[in-house]
Amino acid sequence: MKILIAEDEALSRRLLEKTLERSGYEVIAVESGRQALEYLSRPDGPRLALLDWMMPELDGPQVCSEIRKRSEQPYVYMVLLTSRGSKQDTVAGLESGADDYLTKPFNTEELKARLRVGERVLHLEDRLVEAREHLRFRATHDPLTSILNRGAVMDLLGRELNRSYREKTSTVILLGDVDKFKTVNDTHGHTAGDQVLREIANRILASVRSYDFVGRYGGEEFLVVLNGCDPASAPTRAEQIRRSITSRPIQTIGGPLSVSMSFGVLLSGEWGPRPVEELLHETDMALYEAKAAGRNCIRIARPDLSNPLPQRPAHHRAGHRL
Amino acid sequence: MNQRKKPPSEAVWNLHELLTRTDNDQELLRELLLIFKEDFPGHISGLTAAIAAGNLKNVAAISHTLKGMFANLAANKAAAAAARLEQVGRAGENAALKDAHEDLNAEIAGLLPELEAYMAGVRR
């Protein structure tokens, strides 16, 4: 583990450096508070620090105080080293943001034990961050396919449309639906159906760029957002995604299954700022046209802006598409 | 007579304590003494200049550094004398400055030959 030693007095610095190297630490030794702050502010900087109280430029408590202002960075466990011993000093040191306090000359075993406490705290923090990230992932991703869930992909689409309007670029929206998916479930079982959905998610992800968005919009519906996509190339891109689904059978518990998808495609850039719901409705209408045209194809939305939202046929809105 | 002017007696330099601190690493001990030998004269001349100029803030700062060096070397009596001088400097006790400085010099006078003797022994 990396540890920073900030000590302006060379003899003490060398003694600490050697002691900690022997204990297996990767030591970075500096001689001023300014240098300490610089190292501790680096993204891959040490997260454990021994700071002398009295140093030129910035003293130990000032370094602690500066580091604690940076709430976005991983926690740094800081121990102040000092020969000052009054209760008032102890309080001031800890109030500045230090985690612990060690009096010089240090006792080697005590120093090591206190640093182990620091390592335990950092380990605990790592586990908390990991748990938070896990929760965040679960809140924004579909548990079956691990792609974005409906809420998350809608949110990102809204932001992307705003950005695209602001920067006068185009965004392409694809709404895809697995053809005759109900038959897959009814014939081969839900486990096979789940395998189909997972593989489709993987294939769509593999067909888009890392900065495009792919989300599970509904049961067997997928929403794809191609950011900054040239409108002229949108049909080709959509076809590539469609073909990635039909290119080879999907291996399932019920055997290899040939599956296809229909897509509605909409280019947002042509119509200015409009609500996400409205654009998705138009994409959905195009998807319906693709279904009506025999499935396994794409249809480009051509919204008529002079009319209010067109209505989908009642039977289509009522349940699953086929 | 100044009763404070007496030669250092016991615990001028606790070699055992220092060896424990360095994990019996003679090479490291020698390295620390070399650092001391190199840095110490600069601190002493700075201290002398600060005292001559009556700059008590610098007196306190340099004494603080010396205190740390002595303490790390387990030169405990010199560390205590440097701590007294630091306190005098911080408190602005001009009257006590001379005695505190002389005390420190006396401890240093007792310490340096011991360090030199050790270094000479290591060299042999």
Side-chain angles (χ1 to χ4, degrees):
Chain A
M1 183 172 201
K2 280 187 198 169
I3 186 167
L4 179 103
I5 299 168
E7 163 66 270
D8 60 323
E9 200 270 288
L11 194 152
S12 179
R13 189 169 63 244
R14 180 63 187 137
L15 185 55
L16 277 167
E17 188 180 16
K18 191 75 181 178
T19 304
L20 296 179
E21 278 173 357
R22 275 205 193 100
S23 300
Y25 289 100
E26 184 185 336
V27 182
I28 298 164
V30 299
E31 55 190 80
S32 77
R34 183 76 58 197
Q35 289 172 307
L37 186 60
E38 201 257 310
Y39 271 101
L40 294 176
S41 302
R42 292 180 183 179
D44 61 342
R47 295 179 59 205
L48 203 51
L50 277 175
L51 306 167
D52 189 27
W53 184 300
M54 292 181 71
M55 285 186 288
E57 299 182 68
L58 279 181
D59 63 22
Q62 284 172 316
V63 174
C64 292
S65 176
E66 285 300 316
I67 290 295
R68 291 294 177 249
K69 286 178 190 168
R70 301 166 191 205
S71 56
E72 291 304 309
Q73 290 191 327
Y75 194 79
V76 179
Y77 190 91
M78 295 180 286
V79 180
L80 276 176
L81 285 171
T82 183
S83 51
R84 304 169 71 155
S86 76
K87 289 289 175 202
Q88 204 177 356
D89 288 335
T90 309
V91 171
L94 296 175
E95 287 292 333
S96 74
D99 296 283
D100 202 358
Y101 190 93
L102 202 56
T103 307
K104 292 194 292 187
F106 62 86
N107 172 284
T108 307
E109 292 311 313
E110 184 185 3
L111 172 70
K112 290 178 189 174
R114 286 180 187 270
L115 291 177
R116 280 195 294 272
V117 172
E119 287 186 56
R120 284 203 295 274
V121 169
L122 293 177
H123 180 63
L124 186 63
E125 202 237 357
D126 286 345
R127 285 174 55 193
L128 282 171
V129 169
E130 203 176 298
R132 187 188 66 192
E133 290 307 312
H134 183 64
L135 284 174
R136 186 178 291 172
F137 186 88
R138 285 181 59 180
T140 55
H141 288 72
D142 171 53
L144 175 66
T145 59
S146 295
I147 60 175
L148 295 167
N149 61 23
R150 182 189 174 104
V153 76
M154 290 279 281
D155 181 48
L156 288 170
L157 171 61
R159 291 185 204 190
E160 179 56 25
L161 289 172
N162 286 334
R163 189 190 66 79
S164 138
Y165 178 66
R166 215 172 40 244
E167 296 175 5
K168 302 192 189 323
T169 58
S170 175
T171 299
V172 172
I173 304 171
L174 278 77
L175 191 57
D177 186 89
V178 184
D179 296 329
K180 298 182 179 177
F181 183 69
K182 188 172 181 301
T183 309
V184 173
N185 273 338
D186 291 348
T187 311
H188 303 283
H190 286 276
T191 304
D194 287 351
Q195 288 175 311
V196 165
L197 293 175
R198 272 197 291 266
E199 179 58 18
I200 284 175
N202 289 340
R203 291 188 188 184
I204 296 177
L205 273 180
S207 305
V208 300
R209 301 158 302 180
S210 59
Y211 51 91
D212 293 328
F213 307 136
V214 178
R216 190 172 173 199
Y217 190 65
E220 65 266 27
E221 287 180 317
F222 292 82
L223 180 62
V224 182
V225 182
L226 304 176
N227 301 311
C229 180
D230 172 21
S233 65
T236 311
R237 299 282 309 279
E239 271 298 333
Q240 282 170 350
I241 294 171
R242 187 192 61 75
R243 280 201 301 272
S244 75
I245 307 301
T246 54
S247 60
R248 61 188 190 282
I250 294 175
Q251 300 300 325
T252 71
I253 196 169
L257 298 180
S258 292
V259 177
S260 66
M261 282 184 80
S262 304
F263 286 93
V265 182
L266 181 131
L267 317 174
S268 74
E270 298 176 11
W271 304 302
R274 296 174 61 201
V276 172
E277 293 73 18
E278 216 172 280
L279 296 175
L280 281 172
H281 181 84
E282 282 157 8
T283 318
D284 195 23
M285 292 303 295
L287 170 58
Y288 177 75
E289 283 175 27
K291 291 283 185 184
R295 306 181 190 92
N296 192 20
C297 61
I298 66 163
R299 283 294 179 270
I300 308 293
R302 289 180 174 70
D304 178 0
L305 297 176
S306 60
N307 291 328
L309 288 178
Q311 294 299 304
R312 296 154 93 191
H315 71 272
H316 177 71
R317 272 181 282 128
H320 286 282
R321 294 185 181 91
L322 290 175
Chain B
M1 281 290 285
N2 189 337
Q3 293 299 311
R4 293 171 188 275
K5 284 184 181 174
K6 55 187 178 189
S9 52
E10 59 188 7
V12 171
W13 184 37
N14 191 334
L15 180 59
H16 176 73
E17 183 185 329
L18 182 54
L19 281 170
T20 304
R21 194 168 292 149
T22 59
D23 203 15
N24 280 311
D25 184 340
Q26 299 276 351
E27 186 54 39
L28 174 61
L29 200 155
R30 186 169 174 275
E31 194 183 338
L32 296 178
L33 291 176
L34 285 173
I35 292 172
F36 175 79
K37 198 173 174 183
E38 190 175 321
D39 290 358
F40 178 70
H43 293 310
I44 288 300
S45 56
L47 182 63
T48 307
I51 287 174
N55 186 339
L56 295 187
K57 192 179 164 191
N58 276 2
V59 169
I62 297 168
S63 302
H64 177 83
T65 302
L66 286 169
K67 177 182 72 177
M69 292 175 83
F70 291 138
N72 274 318
L73 288 178
N76 298 323
K77 294 187 86 176
R84 278 196 299 277
L85 186 56
E86 180 189 359
Q87 183 53 41
V88 166
R90 280 193 204 292
E93 296 170 18
N94 261 313
L97 194 61
K98 187 166 175 289
D99 279 353
H101 189 207
E102 283 176 359
D103 277 355
L104 176 60
N105 282 337
E107 295 299 346
I108 290 169
L111 173 66
L112 292 183
E114 294 211 19
L115 299 183
E116 287 292 349
Y118 180 83
M119 290 289 279
V122 171
R123 275 196 292 271
R124 279 196 299 270

